[in-house]
Amino acid sequence: MARAMVLLCSLLLLLGATTTHGMGVNWGTQAAQNVNPSVVVQMLKDNNIKKVKLFDSDHWTVKFFAGSGIEVMLGIPNNQLKDLGDHDNAKDWVKQNVSKHMYDGGVNIKYVAVGNEPFLKAYNGSNLKTLLPAMENIQKALNEAGLDHIKVTTPQNADVYESGSGVPSDGNFRKDIRDLMGKIANFLSDNNSMFLVNIYPFLSLYQNPDFPVEFAFFDGGAKPVQDKSISYNNMFDANLDTLYWSLKKAGYPKLKLAVGEIGWPTDGNKKANVKMAQRFYDGFFRKMATNKGTPLYPGYIECYLFSLMDENLKSVAPGEFERHWGIFRYDGQPKYPIDFTGKGNDKMPVGAKNVPYLEHEWCVLDRDKVKNPKDSSIQSNMQYACAMGDCTSLKDGASCDNLDLVHKVSYAYNNYFQINNQDVEACDFKGTAKIVKTNASTDGCFFPIALQNAAGFRVSIATGMSVFAALLTLLILF
Ligand SMILES: *[C@@H]1O[C@H](CO)[C@@H](O)[C@H](O)[C@H]1NC(C)=O
Ligand SMILES: *[C@@H]1O[C@H](CO)[C@@H](O)[C@H](O)[C@H]1NC(C)=O
Ligand SMILES: *[C@@H]1O[C@H](CO)[C@@H](O)[C@H](O)[C@H]1NC(C)=O
Ligand SMILES: *[C@@H]1O[C@H](CO)[C@@H](O)[C@H](O)[C@H]1NC(C)=O
């Protein structure tokens, strides 16, 4: 009897040790300059964040999580799926990107997220054939390497399921991918993994002017969606239960669900601001702290916030807000008070420490040289700066939208200058710009200063990305 008790206790301890409750967070690095991973690890620890989801498995980044106690979900980008259809490639991937971190005191890798929203309609089905073989091969390679405690999953956009009438019980996987989603659910279930879905009340509100605002939040007051005996008063519950129904219809009602991305952006659109982000997170954390789950999926739900920091090279194709999802700014400094525990004791989270900035210098329009900022030459300078830099904060309803034209030009000039690591040649604009040492920020409009690039981040990638981002911005501007 005593022995059985001891056994039971150690089993419970073991279970306790392997399920880390609490919030996880997504950390992406599509920025001109990134905070050093060692600083990020400390920042997560300081804020008691115990889980992180990455979008790749860059060795130099991942190794900083060794011994940190932070649980890591590695990512595999969509463009690597095809190669991983080959089992030997999958074995190499596991060897290079997982096994290397598996030593005493190494990295606590719990999941590998294969692909990222691979079935988005915008991808025209290009990942339909490659996702599942890649998942199978990676799991097999993990198992063969003796790492079967690490599970393969795949983060899906909530557009893989739908409900014709809008009530969760009508939910099912999209017709064009229904069979495939069934196979993926089967794989996840057989391998004791989880279904990972990204849920975005903000996007619903942004895309649909008729979307009831209150339904995006958790404060009640929304006209409930009545589904037989269940009454839904927030989109999060309704959406996850639509997934629950889709999985139930596919034959997997017991599959574990987790949320891969959830959050609210703070700039680039009038509905993306600190006030709404704070309201969203307050309600969300309060709800999650109860561990009540949704009506059909009760209990703790593993969630990854989107995201840790702003990323100024992200594509703005989905919207200008895309570069402002961070709970923290690009430099790891907090934007607003928050309480991850859901107890409602909002206070500024702990920012990144010892972040190395470049000089305290800003690039602004030189009023001694420019009489009229409306001149077409100045306007085309500005367009160029914005195409190559990041002017999302100047857009309608964004934080710098209320600046006068002179300051708007300065904003654009400064952004270009900072993204180019304060290269003096990037503050010329045909002799119409000057470098100043007084803070050019105004009330509510923040003029950034670049970070020193962490040594290991490959600048070539950053440059490649910014050209890509610039092309996209150009497409949008013209
Ligand atoms: C390991 O991951 C990195 C970063 O995601 C990737 O570039 C590399 O190709 C991977 N290694 C193998 C052998 O696939
Ligand atoms: C998808 O198809 C559309 C229309 O044919 C095209 O404009 C777009 O570039 C395609 N996207 C991808 C990712 O292939
Ligand atoms: C993982 O799932 C695949 C596909 O359903 C299955 O063939 C395989 O046996 C599973 N692996 C384990 C360890 O259960
Ligand atoms: C510049 O001013 C802004 C707004 O007041 C402030 O947040 C920022 O920290 C200042 N930057 C520096 C380098 O002092």
Side-chain angles (χ1 to χ4, degrees), residues 43 73 75 78 121 168 194 224 260 276 278 311 338 343 346 416 427-428 430 470:
M43 182 184 166
M73 186 185 302
N78 292 335
K121 283 181 189 153
M194 61 186 183
M276 288 174 97
Q278 209 179 350
E311 297 169 69
I338 201 165
K343 296 199 181 96
D346 284 7
Y416 179 77
C427 186
D428 178 44
K430 303 181 187 115

Side-chain angles (χ1 to χ4, degrees), residues 234-296:
N234 68 78
M235 177 194 149
F236 179 83
D237 282 352
N239 193 308
L240 263 185
D241 280 3
T242 309
L243 170 59
Y244 172 84
W245 276 106
S246 310
L247 285 167
K248 187 178 156 99
K249 286 171 194 170
Y252 301 93
K254 296 234 162 71
L255 186 55
K256 180 183 167 186
L257 308 185
V259 177
E261 294 182 10
I262 185 156
W264 202 280
T266 58
D267 206 353
N269 179 267
K270 66 175 187 295
K271 291 181 178 123
N273 55 56
V274 162
K275 207 171 150 212
M276 288 174 97
Q278 209 179 350
R279 178 179 174 202
F280 179 79
Y281 279 123
D282 275 351
F284 178 67
F285 293 142
R286 224 183 308 116
K287 174 185 171 62
M288 298 319 281
T290 67
N291 276 332
K292 281 197 184 128
T294 74
L296 297 176

